Amino acid sequence: MFGIINFEAFVLAGILLNLTPGADTMYILGRSISQGKKSGVLSALGISTGALIHCLFAALGLSILLAKSAIAFNIIKYAGAIYLLYLGIQLLRSKSQNNLEIEERKTYRINYRKVYLSGILTNVLNPKVALFFLAFLPQFINPDFAENYTPFLILGLTFVTTGTLWCLFLSFFAAKLSNSIRRNYKIKLWLDKFTGSVFIILGIKLAFTKQ
C-alpha cells in the first residue's frame, strides 16, 4: 500500500530505535530533571518537530544534499555543536543558590517558548538525523515509488509518532522523579550544572561527527 513494504517490520525497527538512548534522550532527560515536566514535554515536542522537519526534507530529497556535500554537512554540524555548547554554558553559569531563591519568589520564570525552540534546533541542526531518515526509510519503500513523496511521509510520520510517545514518557518519568529534588535550590543548581555539562559533551561529540 502506498509503495510501502514490510510496514510491520518498519514499525518494530522504529520502536527499537526510539528506545535506544541517544543525544535526544539525554537532552530531554536533562531538561526534565533540571526544569520540570513542562520543560521536558516541550523539549520532547520540539525534538519531534525537528524530526518531522527532517522527514519532510527526506521526502523532498533535500537530505541528499547533506549526504553528498561535505560543506553542507559541516555547516549544519558545527552550527548544531555551537548551539549545544551555548545552551550548556548558559546552564553552567546558573546563579548561586541565594540569588536563585530570591528570584524564584519574585521574577524567576522559565521561557517555555525558548525551551520548545531549543528542542527543534537541537534536532534540526544534527545532520546525522537527516542522513538517518535518508538511509532508513528507503529500505521499506518499493523502488517503483522511490520518486514519490507519499511513502516517505507515511513512514516518517509513523516513526515520529512512536518517537514522540517515547520521548513524552521519558519527560514525565524523569520529571516525576526529580520534582521533590528540584524544590531544594542547591540541588537544582547542581542539576543545572549537570545538564549544562551534558549539553557541552553532546556539542563536542557532534562537532567531531564524521559524514
Side-chain angles (χ1 to χ4, degrees):
M1 178 182 281
F2 301 110
I4 299 174
I5 56 178
N6 299 322
F7 182 71
E8 295 80 5
F10 169 81
V11 173
L12 178 59
I15 291 175
L16 292 175
L17 287 170
N18 292 147
L19 297 178
T20 303
D24 291 345
T25 299
M26 295 302 297
Y27 181 83
I28 292 169
L29 289 176
R31 285 289 192 187
S32 301
I33 293 173
S34 177
Q35 298 179 333
K37 180 174 67 177
K38 188 170 183 178
S39 287
V41 169
L42 288 173
S43 295
L45 294 178
I47 293 291
S48 298
T49 302
L52 182 59
I53 292 172
H54 279 297
C55 171
L56 294 175
F57 282 171
L60 296 174
L62 297 179
S63 293
I64 296 176
L65 176 64
L66 287 177
K68 293 186 176 181
S69 172
I71 295 177
F73 181 89
N74 286 328
I75 289 175
I76 297 297
K77 178 182 73 174
Y78 289 123
I82 291 172
Y83 186 68
L84 283 170
L85 290 172
Y86 166 77
L87 291 178
I89 292 172
Q90 289 292 101
L91 285 171
L92 288 178
R93 295 175 61 190
S94 296
K95 296 183 179 180
S96 65
Q97 176 189 354
N98 293 333
N99 288 339
L100 182 59
E101 279 190 281
I102 296 173
E103 291 197 7
E104 181 71 24
R105 294 173 186 156
K106 295 183 178 181
T107 62
Y108 181 72
R109 294 290 184 276
I110 297 174
N111 188 333
Y112 291 113
R113 181 173 177 271
K114 184 177 179 181
V115 170
Y116 173 69
L117 292 176
S118 294
I120 296 176
L121 290 175
T122 299
N123 192 273
V124 169
L125 294 177
N126 187 344
K128 283 294 184 180
V129 179
L131 298 184
F132 162 78
F133 275 97
L134 195 63
F136 184 60
L137 268 57
Q139 299 180 48
F140 300 90
I141 296 176
N142 188 316
D144 294 335
F145 289 77
E147 297 183 3
N148 189 329
Y149 64 84
T150 302
F152 276 96
L153 289 178
I154 294 175
L155 293 176
L157 289 173
T158 301
F159 183 79
V160 171
T161 299
T162 57
T164 300
L165 292 175
W166 172 242
C167 289
L168 289 175
F169 170 78
L170 283 178
S171 62
F172 278 104
F173 179 74
K176 187 175 181 62
L177 287 180
S178 66
N179 275 339
S180 58
I181 298 175
R182 289 186 301 103
R183 293 192 185 99
N184 184 314
Y185 292 119
K186 185 175 182 180
I187 296 178
K188 183 184 183 303
L189 179 64
W190 282 106
L191 285 175
D192 285 342
K193 304 292 186 185
F194 172 76
T195 304
S197 299
V198 170
F199 288 172
I200 289 176
I201 292 172
L202 292 176
I204 294 174
K205 182 179 178 181
L206 179 58
F208 285 96
T209 298
K210 296 182 179 179
Q211 188 173 14

